[in-house]
Amino acid sequence: MSRRGAPLAALAFGALGVSFMALPLAGLVWRTPWSAVLDELRDPVVTTALRLSLVCSLGAALVAVMLGVPLAWVLARVDFPGRRLVRAVALVPLVLPPVVGGVALLLAFGRRGLVGQWLDQWLGVRLPYTTPGAILAEAFVAMPFLVITAEAAFRNLDRRYEDAARTLGAGGFTVFRRVTLPLTLPSLVVGAVLAWARALGEFGATITFAGNTPNRTTTIPLEVYLQLEAGRLDGAIVLSLVLLVVSVGVLVGLRDRWLGQQ
Amino acid sequence: MTRGFLVLSAAGLMAASCCAPEARSEARTVKVAVAASLTEAFTALAKEYETEHPGVRIRPTFAASSALAQQVNDAAPLDVFASADEESMSKVTVAGNALDPKVFARNRLAILVGKGNPKAITSLADLAGPGVVFLLCAPEAPCGRFGAAALEKAKVKARPASLEENVKGVVSKVALGEADAGIVYATDVKAAAGRAEGVDIDIDGDPALTAVYPIALTRQADDVEAASGWVDFVLSERGQQTLSRFGFLPP
């Protein structure tokens, strides 16, 4: 729609809406101690948290892709009873408070958890307070972003391409690998990047399930919270700025694809 | 249905905001800023006091001492400040916003272990044992500072599995069995009775290991008579009995 055609009131309310979103971010930028940014970013505590955040969020995105893409394909293509329920379960972390997710993970994968007790007894694997635990917590919260994107991609794909491949003699997996995957790849990448960005900012589930262990589970969001608690406002602001820049960068890069239009 | 619910909650909010000032004018109210670790004890104290003084209402606000000190210094409408450490109280007295703090309680550190103490932990040194998962508060919280100091004092080099953001996080995870032990306050051990057990820490009874709780009237206390009546009650024999019931030590 052209700008000229928009009613003035709609523009005014739109401006109000965007200010509501933008002002807190502006506050963060306004209060940033620019002269101290480099020093803060060189602080070993900060570099450790940054490195750990990168490792955990990439790990979580990988887990989300490996588990989420097959799930999304099944949800999009296989008609089975209870599909809506399965989809709801797969997407529940989107609306669940992350802290609740952390408690649930603890009760499932903790040392005394539903599954965790057997992991501990049989394999000697304990997830709380470890980096794999932090990856698991982030993947739990981030995977729905991939599933929802991938399912839509599989659903919107013109199935005649796949049918054509099949009539030419390709097997099920070959069709997926040679036709479905290449055609949906852009959307899958978008889903993976969204999941990665969500994982990068994950706080509640991580601190609840994986705890706060420097060098193992203390990611950037946890460090922001701890710095704030300790009264180190400058450090908290600089780390917040890092997350803000990444988030805005990701959304600016993906927006059009995410909305499916220009 | 959702809409009905929204309307109802909006109406509820409006009702709450419209009538609060009226309710206040009926009774004299003492607004008390209370450290989070005093939650259970001060709730009980307030109930006792209100029963004895029907005309006075005690309205506590529970939060971290450091946050409360900030609020008092920002001239929040708080009549009394009960802090969990002298550091927070001195931030307020130095700024001239509270007068003459008095210590009304002390708290010891203790080791919290799971029910039945499955790892047979009897001292801080046992925390360094093989396969013991133990938790400490983050250094930002007083319990983390005290805990780290205790370990240092006892010359124990044990690595905590996690630095929990507050003491109740340590309690929950030990009670859940996700950790074998944690350093908490003796009052937390008492509050967790039935879910976990406590082990006393003994390093020659060093006072550095005890948290000190001061209480004071703030400068903006408007009903000084009612506010100091409440402070006197906390310091009185009766108040002290209640505090000790929750595991606090006398000042």
Side-chain angles (χ1 to χ4, degrees):
Chain A
M1 186 188 277
S2 75
R3 203 179 73 90
R4 192 164 306 163
L8 213 60
L11 285 179
F13 277 108
L16 201 63
V18 78
S19 317
F20 176 51
M21 294 296 141
L23 281 176
L25 309 183
L28 196 63
V29 174
W30 170 65
R31 188 59 185 72
T32 298
W34 294 106
S35 55
V37 166
L38 277 182
D39 284 342
E40 289 288 347
L41 288 177
R42 279 200 209 105
D43 184 337
V45 172
V46 171
T47 52
T48 307
L50 281 169
R51 199 179 52 235
L52 193 64
S53 267
L54 213 56
V55 168
C56 289
S57 56
L58 288 173
L62 193 69
V63 171
V65 167
M66 289 193 317
L67 298 177
V69 170
L71 174 62
W73 190 86
V74 169
L75 286 174
R77 290 298 170 80
V78 185
D79 199 6
F80 59 94
R83 178 160 68 168
R84 292 178 65 170
L85 186 68
V86 170
R87 183 185 291 123
V89 168
L91 299 184
V92 90
L94 280 179
V95 289
L96 199 69
V99 181
V100 175
V103 174
L105 284 168
L106 212 48
L107 298 178
F109 296 108
R111 198 162 70 141
R112 299 283 157 76
L114 197 60
V115 181
Q117 54 180 317
W118 305 113
L119 288 178
D120 185 16
Q121 268 183 32
W122 293 345
L123 306 171
V125 173
R126 286 182 187 172
L127 291 167
Y129 324 123
T130 63
T131 304
I135 291 173
L136 190 78
E138 292 184 2
F140 178 78
V141 174
M143 201 170 93
F145 286 85
L146 179 97
V147 172
I148 210 169
T149 317
E151 192 194 338
F154 291 138
R155 218 173 256 290
N156 292 335
L157 181 65
D158 192 336
R159 297 184 69 164
R160 281 174 301 182
Y161 293 116
E162 292 166 306
D163 292 340
R166 218 168 279 120
T167 55
L168 293 173
F173 185 67
T174 311
V175 172
F176 181 77
R177 196 169 55 87
R178 302 287 298 273
V179 179
T180 317
L181 205 55
L183 285 172
T184 52
L185 195 62
S187 298
L188 298 185
V189 169
V190 168
V193 172
L194 279 174
W196 169 74
R198 178 65 189 89
L200 190 67
E202 216 300 307
F203 171 76
T206 312
I207 199 167
T208 311
F209 177 65
N212 167 41
T213 314
N215 217 357
R216 277 191 280 169
T217 73
T218 309
T219 53
I220 306 178
L222 270 66
E223 195 55 47
V224 169
Y225 182 73
L226 291 170
Q227 300 243 353
L228 210 56
E229 288 275 283
R232 291 190 292 267
L233 194 58
D234 283 359
I237 291 175
V238 169
L239 279 171
S240 303
L241 196 70
V242 171
L243 286 180
L244 176 65
V245 167
V246 173
S247 310
V248 172
V250 165
L251 290 178
V252 167
L254 293 184
R255 196 197 72 106
D256 298 338
R257 241 180 230 298
W258 174 240
L259 293 177
Q261 61 205 29
Q262 279 311 117
Chain B
M1 203 178 100
T2 317
R3 194 156 152 201
F5 173 73
L6 280 175
V7 170
L8 269 180
S9 16
L13 275 175
M14 279 191 284
S17 55
C18 89
C19 303
E22 281 169 41
R24 201 187 323 172
S25 65
E26 284 168 15
R28 296 161 77 181
T29 307
V30 181
K31 289 167 283 306
V32 195
V34 187
S37 50
L38 293 163
T39 306
E40 295 90 354
F42 264 50
T43 306
L45 280 172
K47 207 170 279 172
E48 286 175 31
Y49 190 74
E50 285 172 353
T51 319
E52 277 178 27
H53 302 81
V56 182
R57 282 185 53 204
I58 305 297
R59 190 153 352 122
T61 303
F62 301 105
S65 301
S66 50
L68 292 170
Q70 189 67 50
Q71 290 178 24
V72 173
N73 278 341
D74 289 343
L78 296 161
D79 305 320
V80 176
F81 178 31
S83 167
D85 61 348
E86 289 183 306
E87 213 178 304
S88 302
M89 181 58 85
S90 71
K91 273 183 204 153
V92 173
T93 49
V94 163
N97 291 324
L99 288 173
D100 190 21
K102 291 195 176 69
V103 173
F104 66 94
R106 284 173 196 276
N107 209 345
R108 277 177 301 123
L109 288 182
I111 304 171
L112 189 73
V113 296
K115 263 173 101 171
N117 196 357
K119 295 270 166 147
I121 288 157
T122 58
S123 69
L124 285 175
D126 290 341
L127 297 180
V132 174
V133 176
F134 98 95
L135 305 177
L136 196 61
C137 293
E140 289 76 15
C143 58
R145 281 203 309 274
F146 294 133
L151 287 170
E152 198 173 322
K153 186 106 191 149
K155 296 189 178 64
V156 174
K157 285 217 165 56
R159 232 174 78 145
S162 172
L163 302 169
E164 297 291 301
E165 50 164 326
N166 74 54
V167 71
K168 294 295 181 193
V170 176
V171 173
S172 299
K173 284 183 179 175
V174 172
L176 256 179
E178 290 304 332
D180 300 311
I183 299 183
V184 299
Y185 293 117
T187 47
D188 296 309
V189 171
K190 206 126 191 174
R195 297 184 294 145
E197 294 175 11
V199 174
D200 288 339
I201 297 174
D202 183 20
I203 319 172
D204 319 322
D206 191 318
L209 302 184
T210 60
V212 172
Y213 291 71
I215 192 167
L217 288 194
T218 67
R219 201 173 55 146
Q220 60 265 25
D222 40 33
D223 190 344
V224 174
E225 196 196 331
S228 47
W230 160 251
V231 172
D232 289 344
F233 175 73
V234 172
L235 291 161
S236 73
E237 187 100 347
R238 282 263 334 256
Q240 291 295 311
Q241 271 173 15
T242 301
L243 283 163
S244 83
R245 193 150 53 79
F246 286 92
F248 287 96
L249 299 176

